[in-house]
């Protein structure tokens, strides 16, 4: 799916060779400041490498339209944007930005359940905790139904049991629908339990790969 060839970005990323497969759960691990989030941003052209090439489905990223790419390869940052208004407003805004058909309330409630968020669509986001806002942002991304989910610490604000439920739901749905997840996590338990492949990054370099292929 993604392939790196001699990719460098500032003094943050230096990856000679790396292949990330399709339709798999891939976890990126490593110490803070090691380049994990930067790697995710490179995958959907939020930033571009200073040298080298990144390929998506064997096409160089530089040849792909950035907007179209980001509709297929969606990144959920560690601190996602939450907009003023209701939960429903926040779910629909992603569809509006992507120029997709707006879903009905039943669909919106189903995606909230997938993110383990039991709330009324009319409830104000001002009433949500940090962890609930993170789950709302995840539901918004699920609603967009991309081919690839780029997730930066998607369970950082969650307790261990909620983390387990949400990650299990997400992994199950993605495997069922042949989606791909590339997830940055500090949790060794999440990585070893759910991933098909673990890539460890240290000081911008791939120092270890484990798992299938």
């Amino acid at each position: 799916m993604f392939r790196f060839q001699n990719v460098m970005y500032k003094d943050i990323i230096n990856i000679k060779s790396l292949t990330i497969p399709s339709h798999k759960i891939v976890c990126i691990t490593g110490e803070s400041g090691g380049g994990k989030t930067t790697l995710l941003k490179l995958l959907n052209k939020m930033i571009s490498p200073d040298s080298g090439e990144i390929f998506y489905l064997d096409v160089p990223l530089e040849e792909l339209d950035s907007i179209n790419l980001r509709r297929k390869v969606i990144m959920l940052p560690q601190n996602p944007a939450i907009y003023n208004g209701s939960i429903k407003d926040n779910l629909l805004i992603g569809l509006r930005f992507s120029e997709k058909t707006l879903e009905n309330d039943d669909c919106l409630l189903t995606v909230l359940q997938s993110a383990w968020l039991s709330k009324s669509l009319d409830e104000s986001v001002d009433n949500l905790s940090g962890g609930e806002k993170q789950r709302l942002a995840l539901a918004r991304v699920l609603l967009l139904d991309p081919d690839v989910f780029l997730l930066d610490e998607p369970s950082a604000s969650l307790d261990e049991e909620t983390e387990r439920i949400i990650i299990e739901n997400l992994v199950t749905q993605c495997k069922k629908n042949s989606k791909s997840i590339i997830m940055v996590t500090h949790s060794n338990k999440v990585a070893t339990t759910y991933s098909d492949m673990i890539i460890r990054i240290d000081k911008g370099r791939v120092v270890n790969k484990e798992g299938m292929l």
Side-chain angles (χ1 to χ4, degrees):
M1 178 175 59
F2 285 103
R3 181 162 50 90
F4 286 62
Q5 287 186 349
N6 299 313
V7 173
M8 297 188 70
Y9 178 77
K10 299 185 178 179
D11 59 351
I12 303 174
I13 292 291
N14 184 352
I15 298 178
K16 301 286 186 187
S17 177
L18 174 66
T19 299
I20 300 176
S22 298
H23 309 148
K24 300 297 180 183
I25 313 302
V26 177
C27 284
I28 312 294
T29 66
E31 298 298 325
S32 295
K36 302 184 299 298
T37 297
T38 301
L39 188 151
L40 286 190
K41 290 180 178 179
L42 286 166
L43 295 178
N44 73 344
K45 295 181 71 174
M46 297 298 290
I47 56 177
S48 298
D50 298 325
S51 60
E53 281 194 300
I54 303 172
F55 297 82
Y56 175 58
L57 301 177
D58 291 326
V59 179
L61 285 189
E62 62 185 19
E63 296 181 10
L64 297 174
D65 178 78
S66 298
I67 293 176
N68 288 336
L69 175 68
R70 289 177 198 141
R71 288 174 178 169
K72 298 175 183 177
V73 182
I74 292 183
M75 181 169 175
L76 179 65
Q78 188 171 350
N79 297 302
I82 298 295
Y83 302 91
N84 292 331
S86 67
I87 287 175
K88 182 175 181 177
D89 293 333
N90 272 265
L91 290 173
L92 292 179
I93 199 168
L95 295 172
R96 290 193 172 100
F97 283 158
S98 299
E99 300 178 347
K100 293 187 175 183
T101 302
L102 301 185
E103 299 288 356
N104 60 37
D105 286 2
D106 287 343
C107 180
L108 300 184
L109 289 170
T110 297
V111 79
L112 283 181
Q113 291 172 3
S114 296
W116 207 246
L117 186 59
S118 180
K119 295 288 183 178
S120 163
L121 292 174
D122 296 328
E123 184 162 349
S124 170
V125 295
D126 293 336
N127 298 332
L128 302 183
S129 67
E132 288 171 336
K133 288 178 179 177
Q134 190 175 38
R135 280 178 272 165
L136 173 58
L138 176 59
R140 186 170 62 210
V141 169
L142 289 171
L143 195 60
L144 292 171
D145 193 34
D147 295 330
V148 183
F149 293 85
L150 305 178
L151 307 177
D152 192 3
E153 297 284 358
S155 57
S157 301
L158 309 179
D159 61 77
E160 187 172 335
E161 179 61 14
T162 304
E163 175 185 68
R164 181 189 66 78
I165 293 168
I166 288 176
I167 297 297
E168 281 186 0
N169 284 349
L170 181 60
V171 167
T172 298
Q173 285 192 45
C174 286
K175 286 183 176 293
K176 178 181 177 182
N177 297 301
S178 297
K179 305 291 185 179
S180 304
I181 296 176
I182 304 172
M183 173 170 53
V184 167
T185 181
H186 279 99
S187 171
N188 288 328
K189 184 175 182 180
V190 167
T192 55
T193 302
Y194 300 107
S195 68
D196 299 303
M197 178 182 185
I198 301 173
I199 301 170
R200 181 169 177 81
I201 302 289
D202 183 46
K203 296 178 182 177
R205 290 173 167 81
V206 176
V207 295
N208 193 35
K209 286 196 300 182
E210 303 173 10
M212 41 60 60
L213 296 188

